[in-house]
C-alpha cells in the first residue's frame, strides 16, 4: 500500500500541477485544450484521494484489505484500458508504456498481499471480516430505504 501511494503521487502531481508542462514534456502535445487540463486536474485529485487512502490503510489494519482491493481494481482497470488503447490506437509515448509496467507491478503485488492475508478465500467462502462489512453495508442501505420511505412526501 505504501508502494502504491508512492507510485501514484508523483504521477498525480505531474498530471495536475502543470498539465501543460506534462503534456508537452511527456506526450509531445504543445497546446493543451482547457477541457483536457480540467480532466487532468480532476484525475490528479482522484489519484491523490486514493493514494492517501492507501497510505492511511497501510497503518490501519481495519482498512487494509479493502484498500488492497481498490489498488487491484484501480491498477487493473488502468492496465486493461491502456492495453486496449495500445491495440486500438497504436503505441503511445514511452512514459505511458512505463505506467503500464508500474500498474502491472502494483496490481500483482496487491494480489499477493490479499492472498497472503487470506482474503482470496473470502470470495468463495465467507470470511468474518468481509461478512461483517457486507452485513453492515447492507444494514445501512436498509435503514436509508426505511427512513426515505417513512419520511417521503
Amino acid at each position: 500500500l505504501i508502494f502504491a501511494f508512492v507510485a501514484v503521487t508523483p504521477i498525480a502531481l505531474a498530471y495536475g500541477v502543470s498539465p501543460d508542462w506534462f503534456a508537452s514534456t511527456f506526450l509531445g502535445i504543445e497546446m493543451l485544450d482547457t477541457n483536457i487540463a480540467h480532466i487532468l486536474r480532476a484525475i490528479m485529485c482522484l489519484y491523490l484521494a486514493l493514494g492517501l487512502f492507501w497510505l492511511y490503510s497501510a497503518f490501519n489494519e481495519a482498512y487494509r484489505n479493502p484498500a488492497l482491493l481498490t489498488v487491484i481494481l484501480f491498477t487493473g482497470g488502468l492496465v486493461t484500458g491502456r492495453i486496449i488503447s495500445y491495440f486500438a490506437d497504436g503505441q503511445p509515448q514511452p512514459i505511458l508504456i512505463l505506467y503500464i509496467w508500474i500498474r502491472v507491478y502494483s496490481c500483482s503485488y496487491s494480489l499477493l498481499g490479499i492472498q497472503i492475508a487470506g482474503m482470496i478465500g473470502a470470495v468463495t467462502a465467507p470470511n468474518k471480516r468481509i461478512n461483517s462489512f457486507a452485513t453492515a453495508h447492507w444494514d445501512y442501505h436498509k435503514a436509508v430505504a426505511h427512513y426515505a420511505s417513512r419520511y417521503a412526501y
Side-chain angles (χ1 to χ4, degrees):
L1 290 170
I2 294 170
F3 172 78
F5 167 76
V6 169
V8 82
T9 300
I11 295 169
L13 294 173
Y15 282 176
V17 170
S18 181
D20 291 319
W21 173 82
F22 177 79
S24 66
T25 304
F26 294 107
L27 305 177
I29 301 171
E30 294 305 321
M31 188 58 141
L32 192 65
D33 182 69
T34 303
N35 294 321
I36 302 301
H38 176 83
I39 290 169
L40 286 172
R41 285 201 170 98
I43 290 171
M44 173 187 69
C45 290
L46 174 65
Y47 281 25
L48 289 174
L50 284 169
L52 289 171
F53 172 63
W54 297 333
L55 183 63
Y56 173 76
S57 298
F59 301 102
N60 188 329
E61 190 175 343
Y63 292 99
R64 199 162 296 144
N65 288 338
L68 286 169
L69 284 174
T70 62
V71 170
I72 292 166
L73 293 172
F74 176 80
T75 57
L78 286 172
V79 165
T80 303
R82 291 194 188 276
I83 290 172
I84 289 170
S85 182
Y86 182 87
F87 289 108
D89 306 320
Q91 185 170 339
Q93 294 290 327
I95 188 78
L96 299 177
I97 299 292
L98 174 65
Y99 288 174
I100 290 173
W101 292 111
I102 290 172
R103 306 283 192 240
V104 165
Y105 176 78
S106 295
C107 188
S108 302
Y109 197 73
S110 297
L111 279 168
L112 179 65
I114 282 181
Q115 203 169 26
I116 290 169
M119 200 164 156
I120 292 293
V123 174
T124 56
N127 179 306
K128 201 178 258 186
R129 286 178 289 171
I130 297 296
N131 196 24
S132 64
F133 172 76
T135 303
H137 185 72
W138 177 247
D139 288 344
Y140 166 78
H141 283 289
K142 285 193 313 189
V144 168
H146 170 74
Y147 286 111
S149 65
R150 187 173 182 187
Y151 297 108
Y153 293 96

